[in-house]
Amino acid sequence: MGAVAYDPVPDIEAISSKLAKLQAALSDGLSRERCLRRWSEFIRERDGHRCVDCHSRRRISAHHISRKSFLTEAQFQTGNGITLCSACHREMHRGFNARPDLSMPVDAQGGEKLPLMERLYSILTDDAVERNLMRDEFYFLSDELLTSFKRMQGYDPGTHFPGARIEQAYLILAEGELGTRRAIAEANGVPLTDRPLLPGGLYMVLSEEDGQPGQAIVVQTYVPRWKPST
């Protein structure tokens, strides 16, 4: 089948129609295979039938950013999908691509590829903002999934990350794992705050004063790429 012509102006009606079909399939209890087919059709329609990474329009498919076998609750969530061409898609699945052993640490088998997940959520956020498509229903990620990402990185579920839900996913995964940061801080004898250090931010350690230990503060400079209209 030939490539579908890319229209830079999103067809909101067509996207909404595909979303309605996905929602109907889920509410009607259709088979997992049929629901995944509807999910894939929606993702490709939303992304303009082209690879969001390299913009190729040939041999495209919908890719789960967080694998279906790792966090099954995300397999039909619209924010967990991105359209990729065959070359970009193949890179995502290079290496371990079997069902993970959930008793092992995250990415211990090399299948989750957290830096690649971070990058995909980042470029998907940029694409949604540039095309003025950022709507919760088009890029939905559940609180449960975002909480799973926070726990993977060692953060309390209540830790705040700004932006739309897919932008939050990017920021959570962009964070250094908290346990690793804490170990580095302790090894260097500096205090550590549990606040996340967003891209572009500064981590400052204040000097000791009057016998009191120094304190760590985080200066955030990150500006969310998308803010809901008020």
Side-chain angles (χ1 to χ4, degrees), residues 108-124:
Q109 296 166 287
E112 305 324 313
K113 300 181 176 65
L114 297 185
L116 291 181
M117 289 173 60
E118 168 200 331
R119 180 174 176 275
L120 291 182
Y121 279 124
S122 178
I123 63 175
L124 188 62

